[in-house]
């Protein structure tokens, strides 16, 4: 009995040590995304008996797979999805194998659900993009690949599905792979693997298939279990956005938050932004005790050797790897709101733990997600009336904020390069964005419409800047935002 207890404990400990792979599936309608994931769960023995009974019953009643079990019904749970045989919302599924844990986001293929795909893919390490072997690379394939590259996903699997309908032709598979690789190359996705499979019959999904003797690569599950994602975090630039100041008693003052990127060691010198004050890490505290170092995505409490003023929304960084500090930046923006963009509207911008006021200064161009074409006022593809963004549209924009943000380009650091815009009236998420880089003040089109204190013009000496910063910070806290120029 004692041995059994030890075995169970060892099993649970081993299970806890497994790493987690988050991946999304995308593809056109009827490419078989939901069927593929259903098959993955079924063949890896991750379906309970009652689920299997219900699946067999539902397959006869509402299935679209003829005499086969319709594995898509495991994921398409909404009534409208089952009626139309399509995926509308993002369906999340969790499963694990002996080697790894998985979270799957089954995302919809239609253009009008672009925002759903962005939501599902925002945390993914990998994307499985399905194509129908009969149709090859189509408009939706290009659109989904563009969105995947926009989200900074580094690993892509091109799953050439329905190979059984083209007699498992090696020639057809190679044609599709060549076309896809030539399209994806300029988008900067570093790791692309192409797998021929049949989701309905299970070829190359969990086990290698005898029907593709010419294919030398891994089965899909084998690749998902072994793909290396450890390097996907930025471990170079330390970023610690402060979420909460912990003061349980007079003797302890710590800064709680999640390590967004980089590695921090006990004794490291750090700089607090925006004050620029320096100190050293005294301790790295967690619920389970103190650590010698911390890395993403750990949540920890940092204590400092010196008493310096740091509060929520500010950031601790290493002095030799500072983020960009500024109020103006360009970004790729995806519009998520049913209500069209209003250039006169001010939005809350939330980036890391920092929230400020902001507005969209200008739109450089919109992207036609089906053709990758840039539409702008300059090339005559947009008019003043069609310039404001509508639901699901993507554009290259310039944004200005009331307070300075500390950011990195999204491609370099996802954690500090991503943001959302929140409608201050409805509290809806109006847009999500990925920062490209800073924009100089002189290139901005519009004024922020905020009061400005130009300290050099007023003749205020640098030694008084700290006192003015404190006063402005307190006014900001009370809802009056002032821009300070030094």
């Amino acid at each position: 009995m004692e041995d059994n207890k030890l075995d169970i404990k060892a099993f649970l400990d081993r299970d806890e040590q497994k790493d987690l792979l988050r991946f999304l599936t995308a593809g056109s309608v009827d490419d078989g995304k939901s069927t593929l994931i259903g098959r993955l769960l079924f063949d890896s023995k991750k379906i309970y008996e009652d689920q299997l009974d219900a699946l067999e019953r539902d397959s006869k009643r509402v299935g679209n797979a003829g005499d086969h079990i319709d594995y898509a019904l495991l994921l398409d749970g909404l009534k409208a999805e089952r009626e139309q045989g399509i995926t509308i919302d993002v369906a999340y599924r969790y499963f694990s194998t002996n080697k790894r844990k998985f979270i799957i986001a089954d995302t919809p293929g239609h253009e009008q659900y672009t925002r759903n795909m962005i939501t599902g893919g925002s945390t993914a390490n990998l994307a499985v993009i399905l194509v129908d072997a009969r149709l090859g690379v189509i408009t939706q394939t290009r659109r989904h690949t563009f969105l995947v590259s926009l989200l900074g996903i580094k690993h892509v699997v091109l799953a050439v599905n329905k190979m059984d309908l083209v007699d498992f032709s090696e020639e057809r598979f190679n044609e599709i792979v060549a076309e896809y690789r030539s399209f994806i190359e300029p988008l900067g996705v570093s790791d692309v693997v192409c797998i021929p499979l049949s989701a309905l019959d299970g070829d190359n999904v969990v086990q290698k298939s005898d029907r593709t003797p010419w294919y030398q690569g891994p089965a899909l599950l084998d690749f998902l279990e072994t793909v290396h994602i450890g390097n996907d975090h930025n471990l170079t630039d330390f970023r610690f956005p402060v979420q909460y100041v912990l003061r349980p008693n007079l003797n302890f003052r710590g800064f709680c938050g999640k390590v967004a990127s980089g590695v921090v060691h006990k004794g490291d010198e750090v700089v607090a932004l925006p004050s620029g004050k320096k100190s050293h890490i005294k301790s790295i505290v967690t619920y389970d005790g103190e650590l010698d170092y911390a890395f993403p995505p750990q949540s920890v409490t940092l204590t400092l050797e010196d008493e310096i003023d740091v509060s929520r929304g500010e950031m601790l960084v290493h002095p030799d790897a500072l983020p960009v500090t500024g109020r103006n930046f360009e970004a790729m923006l995806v519009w998520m709101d049913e209500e069209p963009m209003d250039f006169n509207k001010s939005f809350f911008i939330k980036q890391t733990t920092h929230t400020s006021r902001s507005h969209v200064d200008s739109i450089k161009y919109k992207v036609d997600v089906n053709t990758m074409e840039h539409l702008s006022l300059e090339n005559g593809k947009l008019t003043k009336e069609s310039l404001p963004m509508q639901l699901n549209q993507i554009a290259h924009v310039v944004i200005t904020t009331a307070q300075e943000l500390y950011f990195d380009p999204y491609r370099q650091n996802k954690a500090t390069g991503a943001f959302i815009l929140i409608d201050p009236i409805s509290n809806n998420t109006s847009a999500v964005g990925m920062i490209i880089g800073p924009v100089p003040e002189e290139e901005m089109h519009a004024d922020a419409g905020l009061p400005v204190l130009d300290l050099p013009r007023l003749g205020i000496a640098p030694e008084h800047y700290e006192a003015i910063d404190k006063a402005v910070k307190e006014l900001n806290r009370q809802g009056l935002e002032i821009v300070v120029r030094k």
Side-chain angles (χ1 to χ4, degrees):
M1 190 67 181
E2 195 65 33
D3 285 350
N4 285 350
K5 278 186 182 174
L6 287 172
D7 287 349
I8 291 166
K9 188 179 183 307
F11 171 77
L12 292 172
D13 287 346
R14 222 172 25 246
D15 195 60
E16 210 169 279
Q17 297 304 315
K18 290 180 196 170
D19 70 340
L20 173 68
L21 174 74
R22 295 170 180 265
F23 71 93
L24 70 88
T25 56
S28 176
V29 189
D30 292 334
D31 275 352
K33 299 184 301 298
S34 302
T35 306
L36 176 65
I37 296 169
R39 187 86 215 193
L40 206 55
L41 297 173
F42 180 82
D43 282 2
S44 54
K45 308 287 189 288
K46 301 300 167 190
I47 301 172
Y48 297 113
E49 277 186 33
D50 58 336
Q51 285 179 300
L52 190 55
D53 291 341
L55 179 63
E56 288 173 350
R57 196 169 54 248
D58 288 349
S59 294
K60 287 175 186 146
R61 194 164 53 86
V62 291
N64 297 308
D67 295 332
H68 290 75
I69 292 176
D70 189 355
Y71 299 103
L73 297 179
L74 281 169
L75 284 96
D76 290 339
L78 298 177
K79 191 180 174 199
E81 295 180 320
R82 290 190 164 194
E83 283 172 354
Q84 298 178 53
I86 62 168
T87 301
I88 293 173
D89 202 358
V90 181
Y92 291 97
R93 284 293 173 272
Y94 309 84
F95 80 104
S96 70
T97 65
N98 293 335
K99 296 181 182 174
R100 193 172 247 170
K101 296 176 187 172
F102 300 94
I103 298 178
I104 313 168
D106 183 25
T107 59
H110 292 64
E111 186 180 350
Q112 65 263 38
Y113 301 124
T114 296
R115 64 175 174 177
N116 303 53
M117 183 176 165
I118 293 287
T119 306
S122 58
T123 55
N125 311 100
L126 178 143
V128 177
I129 294 180
L130 272 86
V131 297
D132 187 323
R134 297 166 302 171
L135 305 173
V137 177
I138 57 172
T139 302
Q140 282 95 322
T141 315
R142 294 188 174 91
R143 179 170 77 242
H144 295 144
T145 304
F146 170 67
L147 294 175
V148 160
S149 74
L150 194 67
L151 289 166
I153 295 173
K154 295 182 168 69
H155 310 278
V156 169
V157 175
L158 180 73
V160 183
N161 193 19
K162 305 192 180 181
M163 286 297 292
D164 52 314
L165 300 180
V166 293
D167 298 325
F168 292 92
S169 163
E170 181 183 8
E171 192 184 338
R172 179 64 184 139
F173 175 72
N174 290 340
E175 269 174 37
I176 294 168
V177 168
E179 188 180 350
Y180 186 75
R181 285 192 183 278
S182 67
F183 169 74
I184 200 171
E185 196 176 352
L187 297 178
V189 178
S190 52
D191 180 24
V192 182
V193 171
C194 305
I195 302 174
L197 49 87
S198 167
L200 200 59
D201 294 333
D203 294 275
N204 291 330
V205 178
V206 171
Q207 302 288 342
K208 285 288 294 287
S209 172
D210 296 335
R211 299 200 279 183
T212 53
W214 43 265
Y215 171 65
Q216 301 303 314
L220 178 62
L221 183 62
D222 188 31
F223 177 73
L224 295 176
E225 285 183 324
T226 55
V227 61
H228 182 61
I229 54 167
N231 296 341
D232 290 0
H233 284 294
N234 178 330
L235 298 174
T236 312
D237 307 310
F238 173 58
R239 305 284 181 261
F240 187 79
V242 175
Q243 196 162 0
Y244 181 72
V245 181
L246 186 64
R247 194 74 194 268
N249 55 54
L250 288 171
N251 304 318
F252 187 94
R253 183 162 176 264
F255 306 107
C256 309
K258 189 183 203 176
V259 181
S261 64
V263 181
V264 63
H265 293 79
K266 208 167 155 178
D268 277 3
E269 186 180 29
V270 291
V271 178
L273 297 175
S275 68
K277 295 280 179 64
K278 292 186 178 180
S279 184
H280 289 82
I281 300 289
K282 184 179 180 181
S283 63
I284 302 169
V285 184
T286 70
Y287 179 78
D288 297 318
E290 291 196 14
L291 303 173
D292 290 329
Y293 60 92
F295 52 87
Q298 286 180 310
S299 293
V300 295
T301 299
L302 301 180
T303 66
L304 303 179
E305 297 280 4
D306 308 281
E307 282 284 334
I308 61 175
D309 183 27
V310 183
S311 54
R312 177 179 168 84
E314 298 181 1
M315 195 181 279
L316 296 174
V317 300
H318 283 149
D320 56 351
L322 298 174
V324 180
T325 301
R327 293 177 46 249
N328 311 312
F329 58 85
E330 53 186 337
M332 294 303 292
L333 200 67
V334 183
W335 197 253
M336 310 283 275
D337 206 335
E338 306 278 350
E339 195 178 305
M341 176 193 281
D342 180 354
F343 277 109
N344 298 317
K345 191 182 244 180
S346 172
F347 297 93
F348 287 120
I349 183 168
K350 189 167 188 318
Q351 179 252 359
T352 64
T353 57
H354 186 82
T355 304
S356 174
R357 285 270 182 178
S358 71
H359 74 265
V360 179
D361 178 81
S362 61
I363 292 179
K364 290 193 169 185
Y365 59 80
K366 285 185 184 178
V367 178
D368 183 328
V369 288
N370 291 326
T371 62
M372 306 299 129
E373 190 181 9
H374 291 181
L375 318 173
S376 66
L377 292 173
E378 285 72 27
N379 64 19
K381 298 285 173 71
L382 288 181
T383 62
K384 286 203 170 176
E385 292 71 35
S386 62
L387 185 62
M389 293 180 74
Q390 310 272 348
L391 177 64
N392 292 319
Q393 289 187 339
I394 297 172
H396 183 145
V397 302
V398 175
I399 289 177
T400 185
T401 61
Q403 296 170 314
E404 287 187 329
L405 299 186
Y406 325 111
F407 60 86
D408 300 288
Y410 182 80
R411 282 196 174 275
Q412 180 186 326
N413 197 335
K414 277 190 182 186
T416 51
F419 64 91
I420 59 171
L421 296 183
I422 301 165
D423 188 307
I425 299 161
S426 67
N427 221 27
N428 287 341
T429 300
S430 294
V432 299
M434 287 68 84
I435 296 172
I436 296 167
V439 175
E441 193 83 40
E442 55 272 16
E443 287 183 25
M444 302 302 290
H445 287 69
D447 186 64
L450 295 166
V452 177
L453 272 178
D454 193 328
L455 304 185
R457 196 168 58 79
L458 293 169
I460 295 172
E463 57 263 29
H464 302 304
Y465 286 2
E466 190 177 344
I468 288 168
D469 281 341
K470 277 189 178 173
V472 168
K473 190 175 177 181
E474 179 57 25
L475 288 170
N476 281 346
R477 194 183 64 77
Q478 295 178 27
L480 180 62
E481 298 207 21
I482 298 169
V483 177
V484 178
R485 289 195 184 138
K486 298 174 185 176

